[in-house]
Amino acid sequence: MTIRSSVPVSRRAFVLAGAALSLAPGLAAAPLRADDTRALRLVAARGRASLVGGAHPETAVWAYNGTVPGPEIRLRQGGRLRVVVENKLDEETTVHWHGLRVPNAMDGVPHLTQKPIAPGASFTYEFDVPDAGTYWYHPHQRSFEQVGRGLYGPLIVEEREPIAVDRDVTWVLDDWRLLADAQISDDFGNMMDASHNGRVGNTVTINGRIRETFDVRSGERIRLRLINAANARTFALDFNGHAPQVIALDGQPVEPHAPADGRIVLGAAMRVDLVVDMTGKPGARFTVRDTFYRGLEYQLLDIVYGAEPLRGQPPEGPIALAPNTMPEPDLKAAERHEVAFGGGMMGGMMTAMMGGRRMDMRGLMQNGMAWTVNGVAAKGHVHDPFLTLARGRTCVLALHNDTAWHHPIHLHGHSFRVIRRNGAPTRYREWQDTVLLNPRERAEIAFVADNPGDWMFHCHILEHQAAGMMGVIRVA
Ligand code: C2O
Ligand code: CU
């Protein structure tokens, strides 16, 4: 897979070019605890963040409550979340609670589920949270730019009975396209990104800054919650020298297992919860690498062991999480639909429908479109549903990626089981809300359509979504 971008892709570009970086960890904002009496406040506004650190200037960003990522919101499973979102940007916005099964009116999709929040205005989101897990929040209005400039944050729903670990750590991964002065390149929404890999950047941050090290102690057991908040980049992390166990995907518990090929793969918007036992010796150092794009591998950071062990060896307690509350799909009674994803460069797509008219690729590109769902390139958020599902029915969607590119495909309002890939049953029948389709891959997903409303179904490479790769599924 090649990456086309106007700047070379290397996280270390700044490190290599610049003076010594400060190794002090960035100060993370204290988590916002949601309890039942008080509404949290999220203010979306321009701000500045020290993404690169060291002698480099701060980066002008758009941020929630002045930090990138926005504050970590934490609440208990079964709790109720109330958030007042104030828009201090110069343009409309919304907040989408990615992966949470919320009522349709709280889903944050402009015009489809709510009027966007005007500059200077605010909107209160309020809903019950049925499932534990690792989620995140982000705007859904011009998200390719709003998320790309730093508007996103983690949302952690704690289990009623959590597993025992020494530390619960969140890493929000992001990928920025920075210029030499550490400012964000403002070439958002260009057709080159839109019709290829999306906006893959040149600087990877963890919790809003370039990290050199992650300090651990021998014998420690860490729950590591990975969230991919990048517009487009897929990560494939190799925890060299360690044997992480995957315990949840997209927030949903999965039978604990070692990842395939030893690599943790996260497409845009996806989450993976790991249990990582720190089995190295005091003073040891291991490099975590991201090896997803061939020829563009880089070192994410080093795991650095302190001189003092925490204990002789990591604990052996159970790491399986209690199941969440999604209804089990009834495959025998399922209705089945095919969904084909098309378009992009080298995909062989000749024509597609846009706004009720058939157009060739050139005409589509002139309209900023490059991708389709079932032959239709969708502009904006409001469309007649391409599927209407009876409420309570099990639905199997057979997804075909008819393109030469990866696509993380996200369904709003539901989690689904991934039951087959390229015809073969999946080993863990994992629950996800975003399924990463490899080029030309087929996957079958199954879910009970139990949440009424109009729900987006789209690629979470935000440039692909904006360039047509989305549709609406109605549950009625
Ligand atoms: Cu994370 Cu439709 O969004
Ligand atoms: Cu895509």
Side-chain angles (χ1 to χ4, degrees):
M1 181 63 58
T2 56
I3 294 181
R4 288 142 205 260
S5 78
S6 48
V7 272
V9 175
S10 159
R11 173 197 160 256
R12 300 266 165 171
F14 283 98
V15 181
L16 295 173
L21 272 177
S22 146
L23 297 187
L27 284 182
L32 285 183
R33 280 228 63 103
D35 58 47
D36 286 288
T37 55
R38 173 176 69 102
L40 305 177
R41 249 176 107 232
L42 282 182
V43 181
R46 287 171 190 265
R48 303 191 72 78
S50 178
L51 301 179
V52 183
H56 295 277
E58 289 186 326
T59 303
V61 296
W62 298 358
Y64 290 117
N65 297 7
T67 65
V68 174
E72 181 168 290
I73 296 176
R74 282 200 165 243
L75 76 163
R76 267 305 181 84
Q77 181 176 12
R80 190 167 178 82
L81 189 60
R82 287 194 188 89
V83 185
V84 179
V85 175
E86 285 175 41
N87 181 7
K88 296 201 172 151
L89 303 169
D90 303 328
E91 59 181 58
E92 296 176 327
T93 194
T94 64
V95 176
H96 171 61
W97 311 94
H98 185 114
L100 290 175
R101 300 188 297 133
V102 301
N104 193 253
M106 296 291 116
D107 199 41
V109 179
H111 307 292
L112 189 68
T113 70
Q114 73 171 96
K115 220 162 67 94
I117 310 167
S122 61
F123 184 89
T124 302
Y125 293 90
E126 179 168 356
F127 48 84
D128 292 326
V129 177
D131 300 313
T134 303
Y135 305 94
W136 65 300
Y137 57 91
H138 65 77
H140 224 294
Q141 170 75 358
R142 298 184 65 253
S143 52
F144 61 88
E145 179 163 358
Q146 293 193 3
V147 177
R149 289 193 183 274
L151 286 167
Y152 57 79
L155 197 165
I156 309 298
V157 186
E158 298 163 350
E159 290 86 17
R160 293 196 177 90
E161 295 184 32
I163 56 168
V165 294
D166 294 304
R167 269 197 289 164
D168 185 327
V169 176
T170 306
W171 283 3
V172 186
L173 302 164
D174 195 6
D175 170 39
W176 308 77
R177 185 175 291 171
L178 298 186
L179 306 171
D181 59 358
Q183 301 311 303
I184 297 171
S185 164
D186 61 9
D187 58 343
F188 288 100
N190 70 72
M191 270 326 273
M192 179 63 108
D193 288 339
S195 60
H196 293 85
N197 234 343
R199 183 182 174 90
V200 174
N202 56 6
T203 305
V204 169
T205 55
I206 297 177
N207 299 342
R209 67 183 295 166
I210 295 178
R211 289 296 165 115
E212 293 295 291
T213 58
F214 177 57
D215 292 336
V216 304
R217 293 171 72 187
S218 297
E220 200 177 9
R221 170 167 279 185
I222 295 179
R223 176 174 183 167
L224 187 56
R225 302 172 186 263
L226 303 172
I227 301 172
N228 182 355
N231 280 35
R233 179 182 286 272
T234 302
F235 293 88
L237 302 186
D238 179 348
F239 283 79
N240 166 37
H242 295 81
Q245 291 282 306
V246 177
I247 60 166
L249 294 166
D250 291 348
Q252 306 302 336
V254 66
E255 181 186 325
H257 63 274
D261 309 328
R263 299 195 308 174
I264 316 292
V265 177
L266 295 103
M270 296 171 75
R271 287 89 65 216
V272 177
D273 285 37
L274 301 174
V275 168
V276 192
D277 285 335
M278 296 303 163
T279 49
K281 294 204 166 45
R285 196 173 177 113
F286 297 87
T287 298
V288 179
R289 300 176 74 237
D290 174 5
T291 60
F292 187 75
Y293 300 98
R294 198 165 307 145
L296 295 168
E297 299 87 349
Y298 64 95
Q299 303 179 2
L300 183 67
L301 51 53
D302 284 354
I303 296 177
V304 177
Y305 281 76
E308 288 295 316
L310 181 66
R311 58 172 79 81
Q313 52 189 34
E316 276 172 359
I319 57 171
L321 298 167
N324 272 328
T325 65
M326 287 81 65
E328 188 58 41
D330 175 3
L331 294 179
K332 291 206 184 68
E335 55 183 277
R336 197 188 149 85
H337 301 275
E338 313 276 318
V339 185
F341 298 93
M345 292 298 110
M346 297 163 287
M349 185 174 83
M350 303 309 285
T351 69
M353 297 300 288
M354 192 201 119
R357 282 205 296 141
R358 184 157 293 283
M359 290 192 187
D360 62 12
M361 199 64 177
R362 208 172 124 227
L364 290 165
M365 301 262 293
Q366 281 165 355
N367 281 280
M369 296 288 106
W371 305 95
T372 59
V373 178
N374 284 351
V376 176
K379 200 172 192 135
H381 288 90
V382 181
H383 297 277
D384 290 336
F386 73 95
L387 265 182
T388 298
L389 305 173
R391 188 173 174 186
R393 278 296 288 275
T394 291
C395 167
V396 171
L397 300 183
L399 313 180
H400 310 201
N401 178 1
D402 296 335
T403 81
W405 306 88
H406 290 84
H407 304 287
I409 302 295
H410 173 47
L411 175 62
H412 286 213
H414 301 77
S415 289
F416 47 76
R417 279 195 189 278
V418 181
I419 57 173
R420 299 176 90 81
R421 281 188 182 266
N422 288 329
T426 54
R427 170 129 180 233
Y428 299 104
R429 304 180 77 246
E430 55 274 17
W431 288 104
Q432 304 239 243
D433 55 58
T434 307
V435 56
L436 182 61
L437 299 179
N438 294 322
R440 307 287 171 196
E441 193 179 23
R442 295 173 171 237
E444 288 182 24
I445 63 173
F447 61 99
V448 179
D450 64 344
N451 199 354
D454 282 359
W455 301 105
M456 282 187 78
F457 188 54
H458 66 89
C459 180
H460 220 289
I461 291 180
L462 298 173
E463 294 73 27
H464 292 180
Q465 179 206 316
M469 201 171 225
M470 83 97 155
V472 172
I473 294 180
R474 176 169 295 165
V475 178

